[in-house]
Amino acid sequence: MGRQHWKRIWVGSAGNMVEWFDWFVYASFAPYFAGAFFPSGNPTAQLMNTAGIFAVGFFMRPVGGWLLGRVGDRKGRKAALTLTVTLMSASAVLIAVAPTYGVAGYGGALVLLVARLLQGLSVGGEYAASATYLTEASDPRRRGFASSFQYVSMTAGQIAGLGLLILLQHTLSDDALHGYGWRIPFAVGALGAAVVLYLRRSMLETEVYEEDTSRSGERGTLRALWRHRREAFLVVALTMGGTVAYYTYTTYLTKYLSNSAGLSKETATLVSFTALIVFACLQPLAGALSDSVGRRPLLITFAVGSTVLTVPVMALLRHVHGYWSALGLALLALTVVTGYTSINACVKAELFPTGVRALGVALPYALANALFGGTAEYIALWFKKAGAESGFSWYVAGCAAVSLVVYVTMRETKDLDLARVRAVEDAGESSLTPAS
């Protein structure tokens, strides 16, 4: 892989990292600001309120997927990536300055809601633009490896958020963190977004996009996407199990360890921080493996592992008593999830032709995340409040089982030529054209 390819991967990934830093610090710092925007009372109820706003952000992701996916297909991947990071910067600023319940009543929660809607709009387009850019900009023989850096950067953003949380936990008092310290990461995110915006101004467009001239008048339209509705439904189904498992063991894990297992917030945060570092390192290894053995074997391994292991792993996590036992179980779960996260970006991008690739990835993926990923934490807390916390584990396992059926029956996409994946003109004609 040449120097120019590495530069493209770096620029695309750097923005993705900032996007997901801003997205995930909401979840990481929620235990500290949950009481700032809602009346005092049951801590679980306060977390449910903030988790509800977290989920609402996901329901803007399909809108962002449609709007920004259209921009990515019609104006270019660079244009979409620049716009997404601009929106994310604005949302981070809003959260950083949002008034508390004591100052403005539910007005602060309204500002929080508007910011999360903007974040949902931004991330809805960022995922697809980044997935498409990284896949198209890479060596065809190493697409799995290159696109795995999407989840490396996503996880790096979360690691940065958790690292900042650990730093603040050791430098500020608990009262200070609840009072004003939780605003710091959102200010940092806004600054980081400004830096990435500057970097993305000089990024190069992908050759695959620049060389494509087919059906230019319908680039990025819903009409063009409808010709690939089978692939769009496939994206929803293959995302279902992966996104639920991913959010369970990343954004929700820290709360689960502190709110259910009884670990201190500091210990729970350190477990997540360490596990995510290992998780990030696993992504390129698994991506490179998929370039040799194919995408389906990794996806199937993930789905089987999640279906079988989720219930016992979550049960054991609920009864851990210290750092090492919690870390071991978290690493086991995240290693299984790597079979999905490391390659899902390129698998989805490989399904669509250039003129509708960004929209084809963005809209169905965002819909799946709105329905399953964004609601995972809220559903988990709902089961806990209802006194049936183990029901959530069965829900996660069930979602993985549904995706397993899809992985077993789908076509392998490793050897497809992105430049020759073409539009479906006739009913029944496959849009997946293998490389010659």
Side-chain angles (χ1 to χ4, degrees):
M1 188 176 291
R3 182 177 178 181
Q4 192 62 50
H5 283 122
W6 278 113
K7 181 179 179 181
R8 290 180 175 183
I9 290 173
W10 155 244
V11 174
S13 297
N16 203 38
M17 181 181 73
V18 174
E19 292 270 4
W20 289 91
F21 170 87
D22 287 340
W23 182 260
F24 281 119
V25 291
Y26 180 99
S28 299
F29 281 81
Y32 293 100
F33 67 73
F37 295 104
F38 301 99
S40 59
N42 189 324
T44 299
Q46 290 180 337
L47 283 175
M48 286 188 69
N49 286 328
T50 55
I53 292 180
F54 182 80
V56 167
F58 277 83
F59 285 96
M60 278 299 288
R61 289 175 68 165
V63 180
W66 169 55
L67 291 175
L68 298 173
R70 181 181 174 88
V71 171
D73 285 327
R74 297 184 72 85
K75 303 297 183 181
R77 317 313 187 200
K78 175 182 175 179
L81 286 169
T82 302
L83 181 56
T84 58
V85 77
T86 302
L87 293 172
M88 184 61 78
S89 178
S91 64
V93 170
L94 281 178
I95 298 178
V97 302
T100 63
Y101 180 82
V103 172
Y106 284 107
L110 180 61
V111 173
L112 189 66
L113 176 61
V114 171
R116 286 300 294 177
L117 293 176
L118 283 177
Q119 285 187 337
L121 188 71
S122 174
V123 175
E126 170 67 22
Y127 174 88
S130 177
T132 302
Y133 186 87
L134 289 173
T135 302
E136 290 182 348
S138 64
D139 184 323
R141 296 166 298 180
R142 306 193 70 185
R143 287 199 301 257
F145 173 77
S147 65
S148 72
F149 282 88
Q150 181 174 47
Y151 268 81
V152 172
S153 58
M154 286 172 60
T155 307
Q158 189 173 3
I159 290 171
L162 287 172
L164 182 56
L165 175 57
I166 292 172
L167 176 64
L168 293 177
Q169 286 174 337
H170 286 83
T171 56
L172 297 178
S173 67
D174 194 60
D175 288 342
L177 266 175
H178 282 85
Y180 69 88
W182 59 266
R183 297 182 186 273
I184 295 175
F186 298 104
V188 171
L191 179 61
V195 173
V196 173
L197 180 60
Y198 173 78
L199 292 175
R200 283 185 168 177
R201 290 175 59 191
S202 61
M203 72 189 299
L204 300 175
E205 188 56 80
T206 69
E207 294 177 4
V208 173
Y209 179 83
E210 290 182 331
E211 294 174 358
D212 182 71
T213 58
S214 62
R215 305 183 69 87
S216 58
E218 292 190 357
R219 278 182 178 270
T221 64
L222 293 176
R223 177 183 296 179
L225 180 59
W226 182 248
R227 296 192 184 93
H228 302 276
R229 53 192 177 276
R230 179 182 177 186
E231 286 77 18
F233 285 121
L234 183 61
V235 169
V236 172
L238 68 87
T239 300
M240 178 182 178
T243 191
V244 171
Y246 176 75
Y247 282 102
T248 296
Y249 295 116
T250 56
T251 60
Y252 180 61
L253 179 64
T254 305
K255 297 184 186 67
Y256 185 72
L257 290 176
S258 60
N259 204 29
S260 297
L263 298 183
S264 67
K265 290 179 181 178
E266 292 77 10
T267 300
T269 302
L270 186 59
V271 168
S272 292
F273 180 77
T274 310
L276 286 172
I277 291 176
V278 178
F279 179 64
C281 294
L282 291 175
Q283 304 308 303
L285 299 177
L289 179 62
S290 79
D291 288 326
S292 298
V293 304
R295 321 298 189 210
R296 291 177 67 249
L298 272 71
L299 291 171
I300 291 171
T301 299
F302 151 70
V304 171
S306 290
T307 301
V308 174
L309 295 176
T310 296
V311 173
V313 166
M314 292 293 285
L316 290 171
L317 279 171
R318 188 179 180 184
H319 295 94
V320 295
H321 298 292
Y323 169 81
W324 289 107
S325 56
L327 177 62
L329 290 168
L331 286 177
L332 173 61
L334 286 172
T335 299
V336 171
V337 174
T338 296
Y340 166 80
T341 55
S342 60
I343 59 172
N344 82 94
C346 68
V347 170
K348 293 162 188 172
E350 287 166 345
L351 292 175
F352 298 95
T354 304
V356 75
R357 184 167 290 132
L359 180 62
V361 175
L363 185 56
Y365 171 79
L367 286 170
N369 266 270
L371 293 172
F372 304 107
T375 58
E377 184 178 328
Y378 192 84
I379 291 173
L381 292 170
W382 182 87
F383 272 112
K384 177 178 176 58
K385 191 174 182 180
E389 193 165 23
S390 63
F392 177 68
S393 302
W394 288 101
Y395 168 75
V396 177
C399 290
V402 172
S403 288
L404 175 60
V405 176
V406 178
Y407 302 152
V408 170
T409 57
M410 70 180 288
R411 174 183 292 189
E412 179 59 62
T413 62
K414 176 176 74 74
D415 295 321
L416 294 176
D417 184 344
L418 294 182
R420 298 182 63 198
V421 177
R422 50 196 170 83
V424 176
E425 299 294 346
D426 303 308
E429 179 186 359
S430 174
S431 64
L432 303 181
T433 304
S436 57

